[in-house]
Amino acid sequence: MTMEMTAKQFVKKLETLRSATELKKIQRYFKTGEGQYAEGDEFIGVRMGQVFALAKEFMEMPLRILSRMATVSSPNTRSLMKPASCICPRS
């Protein structure tokens, strides 16, 4: 398995955790419109607990790949490197 495949597998598994209900909660909390503080961020509706549990499965992923993943626009994916950037309120 290549390192790039591992990153793709992480994102694929992350996307299976998507929730329309959770996305609505996140969109009420984070201001992503033009000129707002989270402008450009794209949330996919995954709770942080799920992100951290999934990240544990990928603990052996090389730092080089993690660093590259931290530059994508999804805060859920970026959370591997910057968890404070996408803390979501609990319902």
Side-chain angles (χ1 to χ4, degrees), residues 19-82:
S19 163
T21 302
E22 191 62 29
L23 181 57
K24 286 180 184 179
K25 291 179 200 175
I26 293 167
Q27 288 172 330
R28 282 194 309 261
Y29 184 80
F30 288 95
K31 307 302 179 200
T32 59
E34 187 175 335
Q36 295 177 321
Y37 68 89
E39 179 180 357
D41 282 352
E42 297 174 21
F43 293 89
I44 63 171
V46 179
R47 295 184 65 89
M48 289 310 302
Q50 294 174 297
V51 174
F52 293 139
L54 182 59
K56 287 179 183 179
E57 295 179 30
F58 288 82
M59 292 291 289
E60 301 300 318
M61 189 182 300
L63 184 58
R64 178 179 67 80
I65 300 299
L66 290 171
S67 296
R68 194 173 338 144
M69 290 175 70
T71 64
V72 300
S73 62
S74 169
N76 292 121
T77 304
R78 267 199 327 263
S79 68
L80 288 173
M81 298 298 290
K82 303 185 242 180

